[in-house]
């Protein structure tokens, strides 16, 4: 529970850093590693719109760059009437590392929903190559 509050705080702070002049839809994410470190991320947009990176992947890539590869939970925070779930691309990117990841989606009104990543991305792409 204490960890959830920390994750929500990290996601809230990260959301304040979102670079989203085109959508004006700031998103914050906080990813918990299996050794209990938190990596936060925000969405980063670009004038070349397709280059935009979601908050979830910003957090994930930051954690991987720090040597982390196993994750136990993620908080996703938006200012929406209902909490939103991660986009398909982020689900796939996260699945590669932690299919059983807990995902808590939250909004600024304090509503929260809890999912497992494997529930949000059934039959995910996974192959031995
Ligand atoms: N976005 C995220 O950061 N995470 C999601 O799960 C969905 C969408 C961002 C991308 C873009 O900057 C803005 O929200 C609008 O789509």
């Amino acid at each position: 529970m204490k960890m959830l509050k920390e994750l929500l705080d990290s996601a809230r702070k990260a959301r304040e850093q979102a670079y989203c002049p085109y959508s004006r839809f700031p998103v914050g994410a906080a990813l918990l590693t299996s050794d209990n470190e938190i990596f936060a991320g925000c969405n980063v947009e670009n004038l070349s719109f397709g280059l935009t990176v979601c908050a979830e992947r910003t957090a994930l890539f930051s954690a991987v760059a720090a040597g982390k590869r196993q994750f136990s939970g993620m908080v996703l925070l938006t200012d929406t009437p209902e909490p939103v779930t991660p986009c398909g691309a982020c689900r796939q990117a996260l699945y590669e590392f932690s299919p059983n990841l807990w995902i808590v989606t939250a909004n600024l009104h304090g509503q929260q929903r809890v999912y497992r990543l494997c529930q949000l991305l059934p039959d995910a792409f996974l192959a031995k190559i």
Side-chain angles (χ1 to χ4, degrees):
M1 224 38 183
K2 177 174 174 282
M3 205 41 113
L4 178 59
K5 191 183 175 317
E6 279 180 39
L7 285 164
L8 283 163
D9 281 350
S10 297
R12 192 180 305 270
K13 285 192 190 114
R15 184 178 168 276
E16 286 165 12
Q17 305 304 326
Y19 177 73
C20 53
Y22 308 108
S23 72
R24 301 196 184 283
F25 186 71
V27 183
L31 183 60
L32 183 66
T33 67
S34 52
D35 57 353
N36 283 341
E37 272 194 62
I38 295 175
F39 289 82
C42 60
N43 49 332
V44 182
E45 300 186 345
N46 191 274
L47 178 59
S48 177
F49 299 155
L51 299 183
T52 292
V53 181
C54 294
E56 299 93 312
R57 272 174 292 150
T58 307
L60 173 66
F61 297 162
S62 164
V64 173
K68 307 296 179 182
R69 295 192 174 180
Q70 285 188 318
F71 307 103
S72 52
M74 170 172 265
V75 163
L76 180 61
L77 183 68
T78 53
D79 185 12
T80 44
E82 304 285 328
V84 301
T85 49
C87 81
C90 291
R91 294 179 197 195
Q92 179 68 37
L94 289 162
Y95 194 94
E96 177 112 1
F97 294 93
S98 297
N100 290 316
L101 188 73
W102 287 106
I103 297 185
V104 178
T105 64
N107 63 14
L108 292 183
H109 310 298
Q111 290 176 300
Q112 291 169 13
R113 291 188 189 139
V114 184
Y115 304 89
R116 284 271 200 184
L117 178 57
C118 51
Q119 164 194 9
L120 294 179
L121 192 67
D123 298 322
F125 172 65
L126 208 57
K128 287 209 177 355
I129 53 170

